[in-house]
Amino acid sequence: MPPGLIALALGGFGIGLTEFLIAGLLPQVASSFAASEAAAGRLISGYALSVAVGAIALTAATAHLPRKQVLVGLVALFVVGNLLSAVAPNYSVMMLGRVVAALCHGSFFGIGSLVARGLVAPERKSRAVAVMFAGLTLANVLGVPFGALVGERWGWRAAFWAVTAIGVLTLAGIAALVPASAAPASIPPTDLRAQLRAFRSSQVWLTLAATALGYGGMFGAFSYIAYTFTEVGGFSASEVAWLLMVYGVGLVVGNVLGGRAADRDRDRALILALLGLTVTLTVFGLLAASAPASVVLVFLMGLTGFAAVPGMITRVTDHAHGAALAASANVSASNVGNALGAWLGGLALSAGLGYRAPLFVGAGIVAVAVAVMAVAARTARAIKGIP
């Protein structure tokens, strides 16, 4: 494994912690700033919206700069944002810190994925992207319990100081270990117009749509999974935390397997992953009242849900001829999908369809992603003249 990949994975871990650990710290943060629960919750939603905006805006603004230089700048922004959160004297500064840290999120994963694939041979590019995203998946497993544990022992500010330290280590690692030549030679000029021309490709748009729908279906179901566990599965509220860790382990396994499968036959791997997620969510909805089945299915939900991630990123960047803006747009698409899925799942609950409904809604959304991906694969083969 190239050392530069370890530095990128560490950055993914730190960024993932920033996104997830706040959930376990909200009561402390709200109490510290005398803020309502709703105001504290906006520290999460504000982060998510900033990710979607920053992914496009920062990638476009830095299109003419060397990628290593951009990555160093993005991690520096991440350090500043978390430092602001750690020392925030009031709610407004805390929100500013969350927004600043979030701005680097999408661009880091978009540009970082291109650099990661430039560190390895072409036949291992999806696995390289999976290694970088391994940090994010581990943060998904450890983020909430890490925040809760550190916050309980040393206060919520200590958690943000810890993430700031991870950012500093990442900054040093990227500066020392990622070669400036990591970008593939086939990358087009970094002119913004050249990057925007990549969006003329129907394959880019089909991949972005499949990403948004795949993420939307999974997170539409995941957003309300705690209610499904307690109200349908009969689990206690205290058991939800370890069930979410089972889901996180599934994300880690899916990321590894998905990267390997995508390097063998990417479009086939993507269709199978999305089809597997559709089946998993459907069966989960049917068997949610069974505690043993719920444990197995929430693991499979994470596995099949994240198995498509490495392949989607390499697919969109391949069809965009390496445009970093397309890679970052893929991150924005996933966040848009998350918001769409959560909204549709909420509508189903509001309509009185019960706590299984978000799982079935999620399955329906992912089924559309399967169809989109099948169209994308078929048209791509037709363009290449493959029957």
Side-chain angles (χ1 to χ4, degrees):
M1 183 186 300
L5 270 181
I6 299 175
L8 292 173
L10 181 62
F13 180 67
I15 290 175
L17 279 182
T18 300
E19 181 176 15
F20 300 120
L21 67 78
I22 187 68
L25 299 172
L26 278 186
Q28 292 185 42
V29 174
S31 175
S32 179
F33 296 133
S36 66
E37 290 85 351
R42 285 194 286 274
L43 295 171
I44 297 176
S45 57
Y47 184 96
L49 290 173
S50 299
V51 170
V53 173
I56 301 297
L58 282 184
T59 305
T62 58
H64 63 289
L65 297 175
R67 286 182 179 160
K68 178 176 178 177
Q69 182 178 329
V70 173
L71 283 177
V72 169
L74 290 171
V75 178
L77 194 64
F78 168 78
V79 170
V80 170
N82 281 286
L83 185 60
L84 279 174
S85 294
V87 302
N90 53 51
Y91 177 86
S92 297
V93 176
M94 180 71 179
M95 177 62 82
L96 176 63
R98 294 289 291 166
V99 169
V100 170
L103 288 174
C104 78
H105 184 127
S107 292
F108 179 85
F109 284 110
I111 296 171
S113 65
L114 293 172
V115 173
R117 53 187 287 175
L119 293 170
V120 299
E123 66 272 12
R124 298 177 63 87
K125 59 188 177 185
S126 292
R127 273 173 279 187
V129 172
V131 169
M132 192 190 81
F133 272 83
L136 178 63
T137 58
L138 284 174
N140 217 317
V141 179
L142 302 175
V144 175
F146 172 83
L149 178 63
V150 173
E152 181 181 346
R153 293 195 175 189
W154 298 291
W156 65 265
R157 294 181 187 276
F160 285 97
W161 279 113
V163 177
T164 301
I166 292 173
V168 172
L169 287 175
T170 300
L171 191 64
I174 291 176
L177 302 176
V178 175
S181 59
S186 61
I187 296 303
T190 53
D191 177 74
L192 181 56
R193 289 186 179 180
Q195 298 220 26
L196 289 173
R197 282 196 293 271
F199 290 91
R200 295 177 181 176
S201 168
S202 62
Q203 288 295 317
V204 169
W205 286 105
L206 286 169
T207 309
L208 292 176
T211 295
L213 291 166
Y215 264 95
M218 179 173 70
F219 282 98
F222 180 73
S223 297
Y224 306 97
I225 199 69
Y227 294 105
T228 308
F229 284 141
T230 56
E231 303 300 323
V232 182
F235 292 97
S236 66
S238 62
E239 291 175 307
V240 171
W242 71 262
L243 287 165
L244 295 181
M245 291 189 70
V246 171
Y247 167 79
V249 172
L251 295 180
V252 174
V253 176
N255 179 57
V256 173
L257 296 181
R260 291 180 177 275
D263 279 334
R264 289 194 292 269
D265 188 335
R266 186 170 57 200
D267 283 358
R268 183 172 181 269
L270 291 175
I271 292 172
L272 289 176
L274 292 170
L275 188 60
L277 180 58
T278 304
V279 173
T280 297
L281 293 176
T282 302
V283 174
F284 201 168
L286 295 172
L287 301 180
S290 167
S294 294
V295 175
V296 173
L297 288 164
V298 78
F299 170 79
L300 292 176
M301 179 176 161
L303 188 154
T304 55
F306 221 82
V309 171
M312 285 294 188
I313 290 181
T314 57
R315 190 179 202 281
V316 77
T317 49
D318 278 352
H319 286 286
H321 305 293
L325 194 58
S328 295
N330 199 68
V331 180
S332 288
S334 66
N335 279 271
V336 170
N338 293 353
L340 174 66
W343 177 64
L344 292 175
L347 287 181
L349 289 177
S350 299
L353 299 179
Y355 291 109
R356 301 173 190 252
L359 290 163
F360 292 121
V361 170
I365 296 172
V366 183
V368 179
V370 174
V372 171
M373 193 60 238
V375 170
R378 183 170 182 177
T379 54
R381 289 172 64 88
I383 291 173
K384 294 178 181 179
I386 301 174

